[in-house]
Amino acid sequence: MLAIWLERDRIQARRQAFALRTAVAALNATERHSLSRWLAWLCVAGASQGESILGRIRQLDDMLGKSTFDALSRLPVSVPFLVVRQHWKSA
């Protein structure tokens, strides 16, 4: 469901955001870690095409966005962080 949400346009994505937030909140720590790592790989794939989904992940769930960002630093690949960080804003 999360992959479909990430690929949809913004109007359709807003409609599904509530259901996704509920599903993400129900995950245990192991599931959140696995999801963050999977999302980090999606960020790498998007960065190779000049896109960043990290901002959309943070809009959905800030903690999931932070754990995905942390997972990016642990991946065994070289990630073009300039593409990934352009949507990362601090408070």
Side-chain angles (χ1 to χ4, degrees), residues 5 9-20:
W5 180 79
D9 64 32
R10 294 189 188 270
I11 293 171
Q12 292 174 333
R14 287 182 190 142
R15 292 178 186 152
Q16 290 186 327
F18 181 76
L20 283 168

PDB file of all heavy atoms in Angstrom, residues 5 9-20:
ATOM      1  N   TRP A   5       1.046   4.361  -2.732  1.00  0.00           N
ATOM      2  CA  TRP A   5       0.887   5.751  -2.298  1.00  0.00           C
ATOM      3  C   TRP A   5       2.017   6.624  -2.809  1.00  0.00           C
ATOM      4  O   TRP A   5       1.796   7.745  -3.263  1.00  0.00           O
ATOM      5  CB  TRP A   5       0.823   5.808  -0.774  1.00  0.00           C
ATOM      6  CG  TRP A   5       0.667   7.195  -0.239  1.00  0.00           C
ATOM      7  CD1 TRP A   5      -0.489   7.922  -0.180  1.00  0.00           C
ATOM      8  CD2 TRP A   5       1.696   8.027   0.290  1.00  0.00           C
ATOM      9  NE1 TRP A   5      -0.223   9.162   0.370  1.00  0.00           N
ATOM     10  CE2 TRP A   5       1.097   9.247   0.666  1.00  0.00           C
ATOM     11  CE3 TRP A   5       3.059   7.862   0.494  1.00  0.00           C
ATOM     12  CZ2 TRP A   5       1.818  10.289   1.232  1.00  0.00           C
ATOM     13  CZ3 TRP A   5       3.781   8.893   1.058  1.00  0.00           C
ATOM     14  CH2 TRP A   5       3.160  10.084   1.421  1.00  0.00           C
ATOM     15  N   ASP A   9      -0.389  10.246  -7.838  1.00  0.00           N
ATOM     16  CA  ASP A   9      -0.314  11.708  -7.866  1.00  0.00           C
ATOM     17  C   ASP A   9      -0.766  12.267  -6.516  1.00  0.00           C
ATOM     18  O   ASP A   9      -1.272  11.559  -5.661  1.00  0.00           O
ATOM     19  CB  ASP A   9      -1.130  12.285  -9.018  1.00  0.00           C
ATOM     20  CG  ASP A   9      -2.624  12.024  -8.893  1.00  0.00           C
ATOM     21  OD1 ASP A   9      -3.144  11.968  -7.768  1.00  0.00           O
ATOM     22  OD2 ASP A   9      -3.277  11.873  -9.938  1.00  0.00           O
ATOM     23  N   ARG A  10      -0.577  13.531  -6.318  1.00  0.00           N
ATOM     24  CA  ARG A  10      -0.797  14.137  -5.001  1.00  0.00           C
ATOM     25  C   ARG A  10      -2.256  14.077  -4.534  1.00  0.00           C
ATOM     26  O   ARG A  10      -2.517  13.913  -3.358  1.00  0.00           O
ATOM     27  CB  ARG A  10      -0.300  15.570  -5.008  1.00  0.00           C
ATOM     28  CG  ARG A  10       1.202  15.623  -5.184  1.00  0.00           C
ATOM     29  CD  ARG A  10       1.727  17.021  -4.966  1.00  0.00           C
ATOM     30  NE  ARG A  10       3.128  17.105  -5.322  1.00  0.00           N
ATOM     31  CZ  ARG A  10       4.115  16.875  -4.475  1.00  0.00           C
ATOM     32  NH1 ARG A  10       3.865  16.535  -3.255  1.00  0.00           N
ATOM     33  NH2 ARG A  10       5.365  16.987  -4.881  1.00  0.00           N
ATOM     34  N   ILE A  11      -3.202  14.203  -5.428  1.00  0.00           N
ATOM     35  CA  ILE A  11      -4.610  14.181  -5.025  1.00  0.00           C
ATOM     36  C   ILE A  11      -4.994  12.797  -4.523  1.00  0.00           C
ATOM     37  O   ILE A  11      -5.601  12.661  -3.459  1.00  0.00           O
ATOM     38  CB  ILE A  11      -5.519  14.619  -6.191  1.00  0.00           C
ATOM     39  CG1 ILE A  11      -5.260  16.091  -6.507  1.00  0.00           C
ATOM     40  CG2 ILE A  11      -6.984  14.393  -5.851  1.00  0.00           C
ATOM     41  CD1 ILE A  11      -5.927  16.579  -7.773  1.00  0.00           C
ATOM     42  N   GLN A  12      -4.626  11.765  -5.267  1.00  0.00           N
ATOM     43  CA  GLN A  12      -4.924  10.406  -4.829  1.00  0.00           C
ATOM     44  C   GLN A  12      -4.155  10.063  -3.564  1.00  0.00           C
ATOM     45  O   GLN A  12      -4.657   9.347  -2.702  1.00  0.00           O
ATOM     46  CB  GLN A  12      -4.592   9.410  -5.932  1.00  0.00           C
ATOM     47  CG  GLN A  12      -5.496   9.515  -7.127  1.00  0.00           C
ATOM     48  CD  GLN A  12      -5.036   8.606  -8.260  1.00  0.00           C
ATOM     49  OE1 GLN A  12      -3.863   8.288  -8.369  1.00  0.00           O
ATOM     50  NE2 GLN A  12      -5.969   8.201  -9.093  1.00  0.00           N
ATOM     51  N   ALA A  13      -2.941  10.574  -3.433  1.00  0.00           N
ATOM     52  CA  ALA A  13      -2.119  10.286  -2.268  1.00  0.00           C
ATOM     53  C   ALA A  13      -2.746  10.851  -0.998  1.00  0.00           C
ATOM     54  O   ALA A  13      -2.707  10.216   0.055  1.00  0.00           O
ATOM     55  CB  ALA A  13      -0.720  10.853  -2.465  1.00  0.00           C
ATOM     56  N   ARG A  14      -3.320  12.018  -1.078  1.00  0.00           N
ATOM     57  CA  ARG A  14      -3.951  12.628   0.103  1.00  0.00           C
ATOM     58  C   ARG A  14      -5.107  11.788   0.610  1.00  0.00           C
ATOM     59  O   ARG A  14      -5.351  11.709   1.812  1.00  0.00           O
ATOM     60  CB  ARG A  14      -4.435  14.037  -0.222  1.00  0.00           C
ATOM     61  CG  ARG A  14      -3.311  15.022  -0.341  1.00  0.00           C
ATOM     62  CD  ARG A  14      -3.842  16.417  -0.628  1.00  0.00           C
ATOM     63  NE  ARG A  14      -2.731  17.278  -0.970  1.00  0.00           N
ATOM     64  CZ  ARG A  14      -2.768  18.212  -1.887  1.00  0.00           C
ATOM     65  NH1 ARG A  14      -3.875  18.433  -2.559  1.00  0.00           N
ATOM     66  NH2 ARG A  14      -1.711  18.949  -2.134  1.00  0.00           N
ATOM     67  N   ARG A  15      -5.817  11.168  -0.301  1.00  0.00           N
ATOM     68  CA  ARG A  15      -6.961  10.338   0.084  1.00  0.00           C
ATOM     69  C   ARG A  15      -6.523   9.106   0.864  1.00  0.00           C
ATOM     70  O   ARG A  15      -7.244   8.622   1.723  1.00  0.00           O
ATOM     71  CB  ARG A  15      -7.746   9.914  -1.152  1.00  0.00           C
ATOM     72  CG  ARG A  15      -8.437  11.063  -1.833  1.00  0.00           C
ATOM     73  CD  ARG A  15      -9.168  10.621  -3.060  1.00  0.00           C
ATOM     74  NE  ARG A  15      -9.718  11.766  -3.772  1.00  0.00           N
ATOM     75  CZ  ARG A  15      -9.931  11.812  -5.062  1.00  0.00           C
ATOM     76  NH1 ARG A  15      -9.655  10.766  -5.813  1.00  0.00           N
ATOM     77  NH2 ARG A  15     -10.420  12.893  -5.617  1.00  0.00           N
ATOM     78  N   GLN A  16      -5.364   8.583   0.560  1.00  0.00           N
ATOM     79  CA  GLN A  16      -4.899   7.373   1.218  1.00  0.00           C
ATOM     80  C   GLN A  16      -3.990   7.635   2.411  1.00  0.00           C
ATOM     81  O   GLN A  16      -3.636   6.712   3.131  1.00  0.00           O
ATOM     82  CB  GLN A  16      -4.148   6.489   0.229  1.00  0.00           C
ATOM     83  CG  GLN A  16      -5.037   5.864  -0.811  1.00  0.00           C
ATOM     84  CD  GLN A  16      -4.252   4.898  -1.666  1.00  0.00           C
ATOM     85  OE1 GLN A  16      -3.074   5.109  -1.919  1.00  0.00           O
ATOM     86  NE2 GLN A  16      -4.906   3.852  -2.105  1.00  0.00           N
ATOM     87  N   ALA A  17      -3.603   8.859   2.642  1.00  0.00           N
ATOM     88  CA  ALA A  17      -2.633   9.175   3.691  1.00  0.00           C
ATOM     89  C   ALA A  17      -3.107   8.740   5.074  1.00  0.00           C
ATOM     90  O   ALA A  17      -2.325   8.215   5.864  1.00  0.00           O
ATOM     91  CB  ALA A  17      -2.306  10.667   3.682  1.00  0.00           C
ATOM     92  N   PHE A  18      -4.374   8.931   5.388  1.00  0.00           N
ATOM     93  CA  PHE A  18      -4.871   8.570   6.711  1.00  0.00           C
ATOM     94  C   PHE A  18      -4.741   7.068   6.947  1.00  0.00           C
ATOM     95  O   PHE A  18      -4.275   6.636   8.010  1.00  0.00           O
ATOM     96  CB  PHE A  18      -6.322   9.013   6.887  1.00  0.00           C
ATOM     97  CG  PHE A  18      -6.871   8.688   8.249  1.00  0.00           C
ATOM     98  CD1 PHE A  18      -6.513   9.451   9.338  1.00  0.00           C
ATOM     99  CD2 PHE A  18      -7.705   7.605   8.425  1.00  0.00           C
ATOM    100  CE1 PHE A  18      -7.001   9.151  10.603  1.00  0.00           C
ATOM    101  CE2 PHE A  18      -8.193   7.295   9.684  1.00  0.00           C
ATOM    102  CZ  PHE A  18      -7.846   8.066  10.765  1.00  0.00           C
ATOM    103  N   ALA A  19      -5.143   6.272   5.974  1.00  0.00           N
ATOM    104  CA  ALA A  19      -5.042   4.811   6.116  1.00  0.00           C
ATOM    105  C   ALA A  19      -3.584   4.376   6.260  1.00  0.00           C
ATOM    106  O   ALA A  19      -3.265   3.483   7.053  1.00  0.00           O
ATOM    107  CB  ALA A  19      -5.689   4.117   4.919  1.00  0.00           C
ATOM    108  N   LEU A  20      -2.704   5.024   5.533  1.00  0.00           N
ATOM    109  CA  LEU A  20      -1.287   4.685   5.631  1.00  0.00           C
ATOM    110  C   LEU A  20      -0.706   5.070   6.984  1.00  0.00           C
ATOM    111  O   LEU A  20       0.082   4.318   7.566  1.00  0.00           O
ATOM    112  CB  LEU A  20      -0.505   5.366   4.518  1.00  0.00           C
ATOM    113  CG  LEU A  20      -0.651   4.702   3.157  1.00  0.00           C
ATOM    114  CD1 LEU A  20      -0.093   5.607   2.070  1.00  0.00           C
ATOM    115  CD2 LEU A  20       0.073   3.385   3.153  1.00  0.00           C
TER     116      LEU A  20
END
